[in-house]
Amino acid sequence: MSLIQCPECNSRISDKAEACPHCGLPSTYFKSMQSNASYVADSNIFPAVNISDIKEILPGFIKDYKKVFIKDKYITSQEQKFLLARYGQCSDIIPEADLFKLIEDLTTDLKIDIEDVNKYLDCLLNLKDSISNHNDRFLDSKLVEHKDYFDTILAPIDKTITLDDEQRRAILIDESHCLIIAGAGAGKTTTMAAKVKYLIDKQRIDPKDIFVISYTNKAIDELKYRINRRLNLPVKISTFHAFGFEIIRDVKPVIPQVSFQAYDIIYDYIYKKVFDNKRLLKNLLLFLGYYFDIPHEMMQFSSLKEYAIYKGNLDYETIKSRLGEYVYETASSRSGKKRTITGEFLRSIQEVQIANFLYMHSIDYEYEKPYPHSIPGAKKSYTPDFYIWQDDKQVYLEHYGISENYQSDIYDKHQIDKYTRAIVDKRKLHRENNTVLVETWSRYNDERKLLGHLQEILENHGFILKERNHEEVYRKLTETAHDKYVYRLVMFICVQN
């Protein structure tokens, strides 16, 4: 056993400890930090190199130099990594007197001009700077060479678009990865479109070998408009989800069921990994306090779970005398958070209202259960919003985000037409498979509430609505009392990604 330093509180602890006894940091953190620290230190401390080593290394370096340091070529980070791994231990540490003798010896031994020896040796002894200078010269020369091309590269999209110097450099950099950081409207999509055109026009890359991927459908639509339609470049463009889905679909005989909601995964991770971890809890609370104005008093508790229970008890003790009223108030407020009484994350507020209504009235349901009948030619499996059953009665419920007369304040005519066609297709599918489809709408012509219509639909199909015992619902709500302290963080993470 030996003593090590805790990276969180700087206390000296046993390297065999499961957690720091002073601050609670789990051993997985300080052990991984310890191993990573030693790796970093070892990788940055090169053994001393003497003149005889340089004489042995230089011939091999000259061969690699001729392969990498080509005038009309950008040195990539992978090539730089290779060179530094092989020659990085050489640095400009040779005394000047010895350096003159080394150059003289190498000129004789290698039988090459002293100018060449000087060039190769200077590059070897100043490798990082040599690579950086080479790439700068390459970019500067290409900016001049392709000036006219870049001035009009996006003319088919808009003749007024002018690429600035940074955009042009981003296009020219021939890396396996290139990070562009810029604010909204700064020209990231424009740069991507120009990059694709440059690769095809100047680098002679086959459009079939280019795959453009982005995060959102909105970004994809814009890229398709600019690259496929206006620039007439037949490259494939899709979201990460669609790209991954296509790969899975190509190797799986059954259409995979893809969940587009990360809420449950993130929530489960936070609840299991953070609630009882003092170090992570402290950092999380500092973050939440900065962004979400979480009360300062939370810092006095050893875990988020402990605070939630404490706060929940204070809240609940004041309303026990009016339990029924409280249950409905809380169920209603939950509906505004897209999270049901039982802890599910749903897509919309109205869907949460439906789920809570079903739970409160003892109706079994499953959210987005895959439809049991296959659909020929479908790229994705069909998942009705709710599968509802009671004894031998079962129906599928679709909740539509438009009004009963097919109107919407958020969709344009094209989107409403597409939405309407999807409704017609769903009705046809259920008829063909003899399954019962019931429908609810975001707004009704008679101006009655959604849940009133839902109750009427269920009763018409023979479902018996039996209100749950308020004590039972109360217990379920208290079990998930910590939701309000985690929910905003979960949603923040999901929105940011």
Side-chain angles (χ1 to χ4, degrees):
M1 183 189 77
S2 60
L3 293 177
I4 60 175
Q5 189 176 38
C6 172
E8 176 64 21
C9 66
N10 296 322
S11 300
R12 295 184 66 78
I13 58 177
S14 168
D15 63 347
K16 305 297 183 184
E18 293 298 320
C20 175
H22 305 283
C23 69
L25 178 69
S27 61
T28 52
Y29 287 92
F30 55 71
K31 287 180 180 177
S32 64
M33 288 178 179
Q34 183 186 26
S35 60
N36 288 340
S38 62
Y39 171 79
V40 172
D42 291 344
S43 64
N44 288 324
I45 299 175
F46 296 109
V49 178
N50 55 40
I51 289 180
S52 60
D53 293 327
I54 296 292
K55 288 181 179 180
E56 292 181 8
I57 290 172
L58 191 60
F61 176 74
I62 292 173
K63 291 181 181 179
D64 289 329
Y65 177 95
K66 291 178 179 179
K67 293 177 183 177
V68 177
F69 284 82
I70 300 171
K71 179 180 179 181
D72 204 37
K73 180 181 176 301
Y74 185 89
I75 300 176
T76 68
S77 56
Q78 283 296 107
E79 292 170 323
Q80 177 174 329
K81 185 177 180 181
F82 164 78
L83 291 172
L84 289 175
R86 179 170 288 189
Y87 306 109
Q89 72 271 28
C90 301
S91 60
D92 198 2
I93 57 174
I94 301 175
E96 188 172 335
D98 293 338
L99 185 59
F100 283 121
K101 180 67 168 62
L102 175 61
I103 294 172
E104 184 180 317
D105 291 345
L106 288 170
T107 302
T108 303
D109 295 343
L110 299 177
K111 296 181 174 57
I112 57 178
D113 293 339
I114 191 169
E115 290 83 3
D116 289 334
V117 171
N118 267 314
K119 178 181 70 174
Y120 296 133
L121 195 58
D122 179 69
C123 183
L124 175 65
L125 299 180
N126 302 278
L127 191 53
K128 281 189 176 181
D129 288 340
S130 297
I131 294 171
S132 179
N133 292 335
H134 173 88
N135 284 341
D136 286 343
R137 287 193 297 269
F138 170 83
L139 292 176
D140 290 341
S141 67
K142 289 299 177 183
L143 285 173
V144 174
E145 179 184 341
H146 296 311
K147 180 184 183 303
D148 293 339
Y149 172 77
F150 282 135
D151 286 345
T152 59
I153 187 173
L154 296 177
I157 298 176
D158 186 343
K159 292 182 180 180
T160 64
I161 295 178
T162 303
L163 299 175
D164 61 26
D165 187 70
E166 289 185 340
Q167 288 175 307
R168 298 182 187 210
R169 288 178 181 273
I171 294 167
L172 287 168
I173 290 175
D174 186 20
E175 278 288 4
S176 56
H177 56 272
C178 179
L179 176 64
I180 299 177
I181 302 175
K188 297 185 293 298
T189 304
T190 299
T191 305
M192 288 181 67
K195 179 87 172 182
V196 170
K197 184 168 174 58
Y198 171 80
L199 291 173
I200 295 171
D201 290 348
K202 297 299 182 180
Q203 299 293 81
R204 305 303 180 196
I205 304 297
D206 190 327
K208 295 178 181 178
D209 294 330
I210 299 176
F211 199 163
V212 180
I213 302 178
S214 190
Y215 291 99
T216 66
N217 288 322
K218 183 179 179 181
I220 289 300
D221 289 342
E222 181 64 24
L223 287 165
K224 285 181 177 179
Y225 173 75
R226 296 189 182 195
I227 297 174
N228 295 152
R229 292 179 57 187
R230 300 306 300 271
L231 295 177
N232 197 28
L233 302 175
V235 302
K236 193 165 186 176
I237 304 173
S238 79
T239 62
F240 278 92
H241 289 108
F243 174 60
F245 188 88
E246 183 176 323
I247 293 174
I248 297 172
R249 192 183 65 230
D250 288 344
V251 298
K252 292 286 185 180
V254 180
I255 296 178
Q257 174 62 26
V258 179
S259 172
F260 292 93
Q261 299 183 50
Y263 312 114
D264 290 318
I265 297 172
I266 297 172
Y267 179 86
D268 188 58
Y269 179 84
I270 292 174
Y271 184 63
K272 290 181 177 179
K273 300 292 185 181
V274 176
F275 268 33
D276 296 307
N277 185 316
K278 189 172 182 180
R279 174 178 177 267
L280 291 181
L281 173 66
K282 176 184 175 182
N283 293 334
L284 175 62
L285 292 182
L286 289 173
F287 175 84
L288 291 175
Y290 183 81
Y291 283 98
F292 303 137
D293 193 27
I294 298 297
H296 178 71
E297 66 201 57
M298 288 181 70
M299 298 297 290
Q300 300 172 10
F301 292 82
S302 61
S303 73
L304 191 55
K305 188 180 200 177
E306 182 181 323
Y307 178 77
I309 293 172
Y310 161 78
K311 192 68 176 174
N313 287 336
L314 289 182
D315 293 341
Y316 299 142
E317 285 172 2
T318 63
I319 48 76
K320 283 185 179 179
S321 60
R322 55 182 187 91
L323 184 56
E325 186 180 339
Y326 162 76
V327 164
Y328 280 100
E329 286 179 358
T330 308
S332 176
S333 68
R334 292 275 173 118
S335 300
K337 293 185 175 181
K338 299 186 184 180
R339 190 159 170 82
T340 69
I341 293 172
T342 56
E344 305 156 306
F345 282 107
L346 272 59
R347 293 180 185 270
S348 73
I349 293 173
Q350 289 190 328
E351 285 184 351
V352 172
Q353 291 175 334
I354 293 171
N356 282 348
F357 180 88
L358 295 172
Y359 176 78
M360 294 281 288
H361 292 88
S362 305
I363 303 294
D364 293 318
Y365 70 90
E366 185 174 339
Y367 183 64
E368 293 192 339
K369 178 183 179 180
Y371 192 61
H373 303 284
S374 60
I375 305 173
K379 294 182 178 180
K380 299 177 183 178
S381 58
Y382 169 45
T383 55
D385 292 329
F386 293 90
Y387 169 66
I388 304 171
W389 73 95
Q390 187 182 72
D391 299 327
D392 60 341
K393 296 176 288 295
Q394 52 186 331
V395 300
Y396 290 93
L397 186 151
E398 287 283 13
H399 178 69
Y400 302 132
I402 59 177
S403 68
E404 192 178 12
N405 59 350
Y406 299 92
Q407 299 299 312
S408 172
D409 295 330
I410 60 174
Y411 297 140
D412 59 29
K413 185 180 183 304
H414 172 73
Q415 291 171 319
I416 291 177
D417 290 343
K418 183 178 179 181
Y419 204 120
T420 303
R421 288 195 300 271
I423 292 175
V424 173
D425 290 341
K426 290 173 183 177
R427 290 171 177 171
K428 180 182 177 182
L429 178 65
H430 283 278
R431 284 197 304 270
E432 291 174 346
N433 291 286
N434 294 316
T435 50
V436 180
L437 172 66
V438 298
E439 302 169 329
T440 54
W441 306 83
S442 66
R443 192 170 66 251
Y444 286 85
N445 297 336
D446 61 12
E447 299 299 329
R448 288 168 53 208
K449 299 294 185 182
L450 163 65
L451 297 184
H453 280 276
L454 176 61
Q455 179 175 344
E456 188 176 281
I457 290 170
L458 293 172
E459 291 176 340
N460 288 342
H461 282 81
F463 286 85
I464 299 173
L465 306 185
K466 182 181 178 182
E467 193 173 306
R468 287 186 186 271
N469 180 277
H470 288 159
E471 290 283 353
E472 177 188 349
V473 182
Y474 170 78
R475 284 194 299 271
K476 179 63 69 174
L477 290 170
T478 57
E479 287 174 8
T480 56
H482 49 260
D483 287 3
K484 55 188 174 182
Y485 304 112
V486 178
Y487 175 80
R488 284 188 290 177
L489 175 65
V490 174
M491 294 306 297
F492 177 82
I493 293 172
C494 290
V495 170
Q496 293 305 308
N497 289 284

